[in-house]
Amino acid sequence: MSIYKVTKKYYNNSGDFMKKILDELFSLQDEEYREFNSKLIPTVAKENVIGIRIPVLRKYEKEIRNTEKAKEFLNSLPHKYTEEYNLHALLLENIKSYEDTVKALNEFLPFVDNWATCDIMSIKIFKKHLDILPEQLDIWLDSTHTYTIRFAIKMYMTYYLDENFNISYMTKISKLRSDEYYVNMMLSWYFATALAKQYETAIKFLEEKKLSEWVHNKTIQKAIESYRITDEQKTYLRTLKRTGES
């Protein structure tokens, strides 16, 4: 059953499209969740958070996917509310063309202003183009925008730590330096995941102090908290913690 009665009528005015979608989003609002979620994304003003649980938003995205108003919505940047950006991110996941997806992401990523919107994206078409994807990821890694960089690191973590692993990618990521908390947290997440999946290679980056001290120590913390790291490995990781380096 539909969670919201979505009209198929084509609205000639883009403002009508946007008003309709915004009205529908607010109909899905959960005030209690809004209070909770707004505290998790401190980079976003509370008045710009509607409060929609992700499973509910995903159901709504499925209902409007491939409609004219969805197409209009994707051409309506910038948005105001975080849930509009989350909806935009979910719609991007289902674009069928790799080239169109990259184009849409290049338009969208500069507007992303929080870690949750950045991390929600799981781009399906990327799986079919893993041979050429790194070229685009490297362009995003060179961005000055926090969440564009974070997204690129996440894609390397998602697609290139298993059968498509290449040490050159890990080396490249290890050289990144940033003063941005949300970039450094993703770097730590990347290397903690690398320890779980490519331990013998990843551990050398800690032993040889290839990471910034903060990322190094946060990586160890995250790895020690992971069930995918053995007790023996955790014991050794604790000996690698760095303190007070200039």
Side-chain angles (χ1 to χ4, degrees):
M1 180 179 294
S2 171
I3 59 169
Y4 194 94
K5 186 177 180 181
V6 178
T7 178
K8 299 295 184 180
K9 177 182 177 182
Y10 184 89
Y11 293 85
N12 291 322
N13 185 298
S14 62
D16 291 338
F17 266 119
M18 296 312 298
K19 183 178 185 305
K20 184 66 176 176
I21 287 179
L22 204 53
D23 286 347
E24 291 170 353
L25 289 177
F26 268 96
S27 78
L28 305 174
Q29 184 180 52
D30 182 328
E31 285 283 3
E32 184 178 345
Y33 180 71
R34 178 175 181 259
E35 292 295 321
F36 168 76
N37 193 45
S38 60
K39 295 175 183 177
L40 298 180
I41 46 175
T43 57
V44 178
K46 184 177 178 180
E47 57 265 29
N48 292 335
V49 178
I50 298 174
I52 304 174
R53 296 178 184 274
I54 295 301
V56 174
L57 190 63
R58 285 191 181 278
K59 288 181 181 179
Y60 176 72
E61 182 275 330
K62 288 180 182 178
E63 292 185 356
I64 71 167
R65 188 187 303 170
N66 300 322
T67 64
E68 291 296 336
K69 68 178 178 180
K71 295 175 185 176
E72 191 72 33
F73 179 77
L74 288 174
N75 291 318
S76 66
L77 290 165
H79 303 303
K80 178 178 180 180
Y81 295 99
T82 293
E83 284 78 5
E84 289 182 282
Y85 283 110
N86 288 350
L87 175 61
H88 198 122
L90 294 176
L91 287 167
L92 288 182
E93 290 183 352
N94 296 289
I95 297 176
K96 304 300 183 184
S97 160
Y98 175 79
E99 291 75 16
D100 289 345
T101 299
V102 170
K103 180 178 182 294
L105 282 165
N106 280 330
E107 294 169 351
F108 177 65
L109 285 171
F111 292 102
V112 175
D113 61 359
N114 69 90
W115 67 267
T117 300
C118 177
D119 294 0
I120 199 176
M121 288 183 283
S122 177
I123 309 298
K124 297 178 176 61
I125 196 66
F126 282 178
K127 296 178 183 179
K128 297 181 180 180
H129 298 275
L130 295 179
D131 55 334
I132 61 173
L133 179 60
E135 181 179 352
Q136 180 59 50
L137 295 184
D138 290 349
I139 293 173
W140 288 331
L141 283 180
D142 286 338
S143 171
T144 58
H145 179 245
T146 296
Y147 299 101
T148 300
I149 301 169
R150 183 180 172 100
F151 177 74
I153 300 168
K154 182 175 182 285
M155 292 300 98
Y156 267 120
M157 180 179 73
T158 300
Y159 295 116
Y160 298 101
L161 286 179
D162 294 296
E163 64 269 18
N164 295 295
F165 175 69
N166 187 319
I167 192 174
S168 68
Y169 301 151
M170 188 176 290
T171 299
K172 183 186 317 175
I173 292 171
S174 75
K175 294 178 180 178
L176 290 175
R177 294 294 182 272
S178 176
D179 294 326
E180 293 292 335
Y181 174 81
Y182 290 102
V183 171
N184 287 327
M185 282 296 290
M186 181 55 73
L187 285 169
S188 304
W189 186 7
Y190 171 89
F191 278 100
T193 304
L195 285 167
K197 294 187 173 186
Q198 302 289 343
Y199 181 83
E200 295 301 326
T201 301
I203 194 66
K204 290 179 171 36
F205 286 81
L206 298 179
E207 292 172 335
E208 298 172 11
K209 300 182 179 180
K210 298 292 187 181
L211 312 178
S212 72
E213 182 178 332
W214 193 94
V215 171
H216 176 106
N217 288 336
K218 184 61 69 171
T219 295
I220 291 173
Q221 177 187 328
K222 285 180 172 292
I224 288 173
E225 293 170 351
S226 172
Y227 68 90
R228 295 183 293 179
I229 303 295
T230 68
D231 290 341
E232 182 180 2
Q233 290 169 342
K234 291 177 181 180
T235 297
Y236 179 58
L237 283 167
R238 289 186 177 96
T239 71
L240 298 179
K241 185 176 179 180
R242 293 156 58 184
T243 57
E245 297 180 10
S246 57

